[in-house]
Amino acid sequence: MAATSHKIKLYTSHGCPWAHRAHIALAELNVPFQEEIVDLSVPRTREYLKVNPRGLVPALEFDGQVVTESGIVAAFLADAYPQAGLVPASTDANGPLARARIAFFVDTYFSKAVGHAQKAVAAYADGEAAQQPALADFVAAVVKEIEPLLADAAPFFGGSSKLTLAEVQTGSFLLRLYAYIKHGLWAKATIAHESVTCVWDEDRVIAHSRYRFAKK
Ligand SMILES: N[C@@H](CCC(=O)N[C@@H](CS)C(=O)NCC(=O)O)C(=O)O
């Protein structure tokens, strides 16, 4: 698709982390688009169900064609505007591998880690002890599944402040994760507990991680 102007309309709800993916992508592309807020507190209108029969947000109308499912919407936008550099084209020399690495990272984050975080947050009302098992599972999944991918990520994503499709797909969930911790819905007491912090040297760990995950 050439860099001509396209008619873009995003059906969204600002509280939805999935729809948020499309907003991140569109912000990075820096293209004008029309926005329609879908009220999720009431049944979907007949008009909206014609756009997206699943009744979910986001839905993207692009030159009259509808694309749904946030991961597909974000990847579609990245492909439609290759000049934005969110992901290399599959025809680039390094493109297929970079695309595979990004897709695997995103898939791993969502299939192995996010569910545990959501489970821990869902147990918020039952107290910190009830959140512990899911929290431990989340940390274990990050250590086992995510960290090894970050170590090799730098040539493909995460190596600079420039967003790639990996951050487009995960950013809204990372925002929520940090906000849950900040506002005490998740893990705040745990990560402050002296048994947890007894061997913790934040500066040292961060310096080591910066070194380990630096662009080689
Ligand atoms: N797999 C979908 C999930 C989208 C989704 O679950 N959206 C929620 C809002 S966050 C929704 O539309 N829910 C409909 C409802 O609440 O009735 C995607 O990635 O686009």
Side-chain angles (χ1 to χ4, degrees):
M1 245 169 261
T4 50
S5 68
H6 297 283
K7 190 160 184 280
I8 302 174
K9 181 170 178 181
L10 179 66
Y11 296 87
T12 184
S13 168
H14 285 182
C16 172
W18 306 104
H20 198 154
R21 285 172 150 178
H23 287 280
I24 300 172
L26 286 163
E28 277 297 295
L29 302 178
N30 197 21
V31 288
F33 66 98
Q34 190 192 343
E35 178 184 74
E36 182 166 324
I37 302 289
V38 177
D39 184 353
L40 297 180
S41 69
V42 294
R44 294 314 89 76
T45 60
R46 210 185 306 231
E47 288 70 38
Y48 187 62
L49 289 173
K50 275 191 215 144
V51 174
N52 184 2
R54 292 185 182 178
L56 301 173
V57 292
L60 182 84
E61 239 172 48
F62 191 91
D63 292 340
Q65 297 287 332
V66 175
V67 181
T68 58
E69 282 300 314
S70 61
I72 296 170
V73 168
F76 169 80
L77 286 169
D79 282 340
Y81 294 88
Q83 64 279 17
L86 288 175
V87 68
S90 57
T91 47
D92 286 5
N94 210 22
L97 187 60
R99 294 169 74 94
R101 290 283 185 263
I102 289 173
F104 187 73
F105 172 77
V106 173
D107 179 84
T108 303
Y109 188 67
F110 283 91
S111 64
K112 307 287 185 193
V114 163
H116 299 304
Q118 285 171 341
K119 204 167 161 193
V121 174
Y124 164 65
D126 299 325
E128 186 98 6
Q131 294 181 296
Q132 280 300 334
L135 173 59
D137 288 345
F138 176 77
V139 173
V142 169
V143 170
K144 178 165 178 265
E145 308 281 355
I146 304 294
E147 278 194 356
L149 302 183
L150 292 177
D152 297 329
F156 309 110
F157 61 91
S160 75
S161 58
K162 163 92 185 76
L163 297 194
T164 71
L165 189 56
E167 292 82 27
V168 170
Q169 303 281 32
T170 54
S172 57
F173 291 85
L174 295 174
L175 261 184
R176 281 162 178 77
L177 187 61
Y178 277 81
Y180 290 146
I181 294 170
K182 185 169 133 196
H183 294 283
L185 270 77
W186 196 67
K188 197 172 190 175
T190 299
I191 62 176
H193 195 288
E194 61 186 25
S195 300
V196 175
T197 59
C198 62
V199 295
W200 174 242
D201 180 342
E202 185 166 320
D203 291 342
R204 192 163 165 260
V205 170
I206 295 302
H208 176 70
S209 298
R210 280 195 212 284
Y211 168 76
R212 193 171 160 221
F213 302 142
K215 220 171 195 152
K216 302 276 178 341

